[in-house]
Amino acid sequence: LLTGLALVLEPAAALPALALPRGAEPLVGAGCIAIVAAYVGWTALRRAPVRWRSFEIRVPPVGLTLIQLTLSTLDWALAGSVLFALLPSSPTLGFAAYLAAFLLAQVAGLASHLPGGLGVFETVIMVGLAPHLPGSAVLGSLVAYRVLYYLLPLVTAGILLGGHELSHRRAAVQRVSGLFGRVVPEIVPQAFAITTFLGGVILLASGATPAMHGRLGWLQTFLPLPVLEASHFFGSLVGVGLLLLARGLQRRLDAAYLGTVVLLTAGVMFSLLKGLDYEEASILSVMLLALLPCRSHFYRRASILDESFTAGWTAAIALVVLGSFWLLLLSHRHVEYSNELWWQFEFTSNAPRALRATTAALVLLVAAGLARLMRAATPAPPTPTSDDLTRAQALVAAWPRTYAHLALLGDKALLFRGDPSGAPRAFLMYGVEGRSWVALGDPVGRPEDARELAWRFREICDRHGGWTIFYEVGPENLPLYLDLGLSLLKLGEEARVPLESFSLEGGPRKGLRQTHRRVEKDGASFEILPASEVAAVLPKLTTISDAWLNEKNTREKGFSLGYFDPAYLARGPLAVVRCNDEIVAFANILLGGNHEELSIDLMRHLPGRVPSGVMDYLFLELMLWGRSEGYRWFSLGMAPFSGFDVRTLAPLWNRAGAFLFRQGEHFYNFRGVRQYKEKFDPVWEP
């Protein structure tokens, strides 16, 4: 109907694309109208349904037909009027002639079976309107038409449909939101770190390239030159600031969040004032609006200057700044350098502005690097007080594993968990080295308290930007560490001798039995000194320890190993070996709670004054004593990098550890340690 009316009303403006004979346009138009009139008349006269085989189609009544025809005609006319309103005006193009081209293009698009007739519709329209409008003008209007008539309603309908579906599926939404609630806190800081870094790249690149002359000319009419110069200068500084703050966002720093909000706001303002760069301002505005509601994800209270930049971050920032400097040289390669450029201030002087801004960015980056070099070192963890050690000692005495005694060394910070009255129910010992926060062993205490302590330690590390590490833990708490989000790295295996079945009898123990007899034959004897008698022999123990350290050409270790400390040694029983009534070797005994485990920590002897095999003798006597006292296990400690699989599909860490175990004799006697402990026939635990 619409095509017929267009051809009848404006036959002279018929489309060349139709290739109709001259004077045939009204006839074709009348034919189109006649087809519609015939259909309307048929619906008015026909009452019986149309049947073909088993199919039946009811003929709509004439009233419904007229309503259908009116609505569909109005719909097509309005759809065509949208594009017509977007087209540039042309004295030779009327609405009727345009409508014929529009409808022909729509029919061609429908016949192509492409979604929305994409491409086909545009081609036919451009050909049909070629006598009236240039193709570039028509194409721009077509892009706007697609957005207004297709994309915008589609997005609106999608939002409405999504809201309708969400309102009817609240339970499913809650499940999905719970999943996102766990995932989003991990994703958000990383995503904003990337976008903030890109924002810095945009500002630096913009500062190094010339602004559009047309926009500068418009700004010149109302903006003072100093404002434009300052905006260009500070815009590049904001770009460097965003590069540096991106790392803080990745580490969830609250100061980085606030700083980024301020700099993005300033970046939007400077982008508009330095050259009416609304595209750049729009991008920064979107970043700012997305960041504002995410305050809760940036909760760590730490200094931005204390945040370490990895090699990757440092390289990325350096590449961006150097790239902006290269962009400066490339964009203004036609400008010859001279000292006068630094002091040239004009609206059209893009090169001097870019030179000053880029140089300022480089200076700011160097200043930030120097500030990081001169920053204060990370404070050491708090040293436990004597009251702390006293509180921990009761828990140590009840704990079945002997590693808990290392808390009494006093060289590690203690993190307690108490009951409502304040009495400690669990503790965790840790130290800090650089960014590594290292807890020694599993938390000591009841399982529920140990779990809470582990989480609390994890949260403390996160708030200070540290790496959470649990060192030398057993297999029983591995699910807890996986829940903490940590990864597992095997360090070796611990040798534990079951004391109930231990003896020096039988063929397999012949070598140990002979060593034991030989040492006793050389005049050695074994004795257990209770804690009350340790103070009396401390001067002799000091002499033995100093001589042993000097002979080994080493120094005291600490943390996961004991060191000679009179207060530490005086806390527990001591095993000594005497020759001719003189102490020549000693070891402090660690006793696990409930007679579960027995072990030693500090073990030293007088060089050249002891029988061969005296340390084996000391171990054997301790094991026999422990068995008689009812202890179940004797811990010989860890054999580093032992027990690793060397299969092709084993993790790289395991294969590297196995290689070090086999080939690392220049660094440490890995194999020798394993072989020495193996002769006591222990059970190896990871």
Side-chain angles (χ1 to χ4, degrees):
L1 178 61
L2 285 173
T3 304
L5 291 173
L7 293 177
V8 170
L9 294 175
E10 291 194 28
L15 299 176
L18 293 176
L20 297 175
R22 183 175 296 276
E25 295 90 345
L27 296 177
V28 175
C32 292
I33 296 173
I35 293 173
V36 176
Y39 172 70
V40 173
W42 178 68
T43 59
L45 300 174
R46 177 89 180 194
R47 293 290 183 267
V50 177
R51 293 184 176 87
W52 182 73
R53 296 186 178 181
S54 60
F55 295 98
E56 179 179 293
I57 301 175
R58 290 190 300 165
V59 178
V62 66
L64 179 58
T65 300
L66 292 175
I67 294 174
Q68 288 177 331
L69 186 61
T70 302
L71 291 177
S72 60
T73 302
L74 184 63
D75 177 45
W76 281 110
L78 290 174
S81 66
V82 173
L83 178 56
F84 185 73
L86 295 171
L87 288 171
S89 59
S90 172
T92 60
L93 181 64
F95 182 73
Y98 152 78
L99 191 59
F102 175 81
L103 294 169
L104 178 62
Q106 288 286 4
V107 172
L110 291 171
S112 69
H113 293 289
L114 291 172
L118 192 63
V120 177
F121 170 75
E122 284 79 4
T123 302
V124 176
I125 280 285
M126 291 176 67
V127 171
L129 300 183
H132 309 283
L133 291 170
S136 58
V138 176
L139 186 59
S141 300
L142 286 170
V143 172
Y145 171 73
R146 286 291 189 183
V147 173
L148 289 173
Y149 194 77
Y150 287 92
L151 186 59
L152 189 60
L154 176 65
V155 172
T156 305
I159 293 172
L160 293 174
L161 176 62
H164 177 270
E165 292 298 315
L166 291 177
S167 65
H168 285 74
R169 290 169 173 80
R170 292 187 179 89
V173 171
Q174 290 175 353
R175 289 196 299 270
V176 174
S177 63
L179 174 63
F180 276 96
R182 294 189 296 271
V183 174
V184 166
E186 297 297 327
I187 297 176
V188 166
Q190 309 296 329
F192 280 118
I194 295 173
T195 56
T196 301
F197 191 89
L198 292 177
V201 173
I202 291 172
L203 285 171
L204 283 174
S206 175
T209 53
M212 294 185 179
H213 289 285
R215 298 181 185 182
L216 286 177
W218 187 81
L219 283 174
Q220 190 175 1
T221 59
F222 68 91
L223 190 69
L225 178 60
V227 174
L228 183 140
E229 293 284 356
S231 299
H232 196 105
F233 183 83
F234 288 111
S236 294
L237 298 186
V238 168
V240 173
L242 291 177
L243 295 182
L244 299 174
L245 287 177
R247 174 61 173 166
L249 290 180
Q250 187 187 38
R251 302 298 304 159
R252 300 176 173 84
L253 296 187
D254 55 353
Y257 169 84
L258 296 175
T260 304
V261 169
V262 172
L263 290 188
L264 284 176
T265 305
V268 172
M269 180 180 65
F270 292 146
S271 297
L272 295 174
L273 294 178
K274 72 181 181 181
L276 204 62
D277 196 342
Y278 57 84
E279 300 93 346
E280 179 181 309
S282 300
I283 295 173
L284 297 177
S285 298
V286 171
M287 292 181 186
L288 176 62
L289 293 176
L291 181 63
L292 284 175
C294 298
R295 175 68 179 85
S296 61
H297 297 290
F298 303 92
Y299 51 84
R300 282 187 46 226
R301 298 184 180 276
S303 171
I304 298 175
L305 290 177
D306 287 339
E307 284 302 302
S308 61
F309 284 78
T310 62
W313 272 96
T314 304
I317 293 173
L319 285 175
V320 170
V321 176
L322 292 175
S324 66
F325 189 73
W326 172 83
L327 197 59
L328 165 70
L329 298 177
L330 180 66
S331 302
H332 304 283
R333 60 187 181 276
H334 58 283
V335 179
E336 186 176 351
Y337 175 79
S338 64
N339 293 331
E340 288 74 17
L341 285 176
W342 295 95
W343 316 108
Q344 186 174 344
F345 298 94
E346 297 176 1
F347 267 96
T348 57
S349 299
N350 286 306
R353 268 195 298 272
L355 183 63
R356 288 188 291 267
T358 305
T359 304
L362 288 170
V363 171
L364 178 60
L365 190 62
V366 171
L370 292 175
R372 285 189 51 78
L373 289 175
M374 294 184 290
R375 75 186 189 278
T378 303
T383 303
T385 64
S386 57
D387 290 339
D388 292 334
L389 298 179
T390 302
R391 294 168 65 198
Q393 189 165 13
L395 295 170
V396 169
W399 191 244
R401 300 300 296 268
T402 55
Y403 71 85
H405 286 263
L406 293 171
L408 305 179
L409 274 170
D411 64 338
K412 293 171 283 294
L414 300 178
L415 185 65
F416 287 97
R417 175 176 170 80
D419 57 22
S421 66
R425 297 190 304 197
F427 76 86
L428 179 149
M429 47 184 157
Y430 70 95
V432 178
E433 181 68 28
R435 288 186 59 199
S436 300
W437 290 57
V438 187
L440 179 59
D442 298 297
V444 175
R446 299 187 306 173
E448 56 270 25
D449 294 315
R451 182 177 185 84
E452 290 301 319
L453 262 181
W455 273 107
R456 184 178 166 195
F457 180 67
R458 177 79 168 88
E459 291 163 358
I460 292 174
C461 297
D462 182 66
R463 288 191 178 277
H464 289 83
W467 293 330
T468 306
I469 300 170
F470 285 84
Y471 176 64
E472 287 193 4
V473 299
E476 58 274 3
N477 282 325
L478 295 188
L480 168 61
Y481 302 124
L482 290 174
D483 288 343
L484 292 176
L486 306 181
S487 56
L488 308 178
L489 296 174
K490 186 176 180 179
L491 297 179
E493 292 185 333
E494 180 187 6
R496 303 183 73 207
V497 179
L499 296 180
E500 292 178 352
S501 59
F502 181 79
S503 73
L504 295 178
E505 305 301 324
R509 302 292 169 86
K510 180 180 178 180
L512 295 177
R513 189 166 59 248
Q514 290 176 345
T515 300
H516 186 270
R517 289 174 180 173
R518 184 180 67 252
V519 174
E520 283 191 336
K521 186 177 179 181
D522 290 338
S525 63
F526 175 80
E527 184 181 356
I528 299 290
L529 298 180
S532 58
E533 299 180 14
V534 173
V537 297
L538 277 176
K540 180 60 178 177
L541 302 183
T542 303
T543 301
I544 295 174
S545 178
D546 292 343
W548 185 86
L549 290 171
N550 184 61
E551 194 265 341
K552 297 292 184 181
N553 193 25
T554 187
R555 58 181 176 81
E556 299 283 13
K557 300 296 193 296
F559 192 74
S560 60
L561 295 172
Y563 54 86
F564 192 90
D565 178 63
Y568 175 58
L569 294 177
R571 289 182 179 274
L574 203 70
V576 298
V577 177
R578 296 180 186 268
C579 284
N580 301 321
D581 203 33
E582 180 187 3
I583 297 176
V584 295
F586 72 91
N588 65 319
I589 304 174
L590 308 181
L591 303 176
N594 199 28
H595 286 70
E596 176 68 18
E597 186 178 78
L598 169 70
S599 184
I600 63 172
D601 182 16
L602 206 65
M603 182 176 65
R604 292 176 183 178
H605 62 80
L606 206 57
R609 302 274 299 277
V610 297
S612 175
V614 69
M615 289 295 102
D616 291 358
Y617 173 75
L618 182 63
F619 275 127
L620 294 172
E621 284 289 343
L622 271 174
M623 292 178 192
L624 293 173
W625 177 83
R627 185 188 66 179
S628 65
E629 293 291 320
Y631 286 90
R632 295 184 58 212
W633 296 93
F634 185 89
S635 174
L636 290 167
M638 184 177 68
F641 294 118
S642 67
F644 281 20
D645 282 330
V646 293
R647 302 173 187 269
T648 305
L649 297 180
L652 179 61
W653 170 266
N654 286 31
R655 285 181 282 146
F659 175 81
L660 193 60
F661 180 79
R662 297 192 308 270
Q663 309 295 337
E665 297 300 318
H666 295 291
F667 308 101
Y668 187 83
N669 188 19
F670 296 109
R671 282 190 171 184
V673 171
R674 173 87 182 198
Q675 291 169 356
Y676 177 81
K677 297 178 180 182
E678 190 71 58
K679 64 185 178 183
F680 295 98
D681 195 23
V683 174
W684 292 99
E685 295 183 357

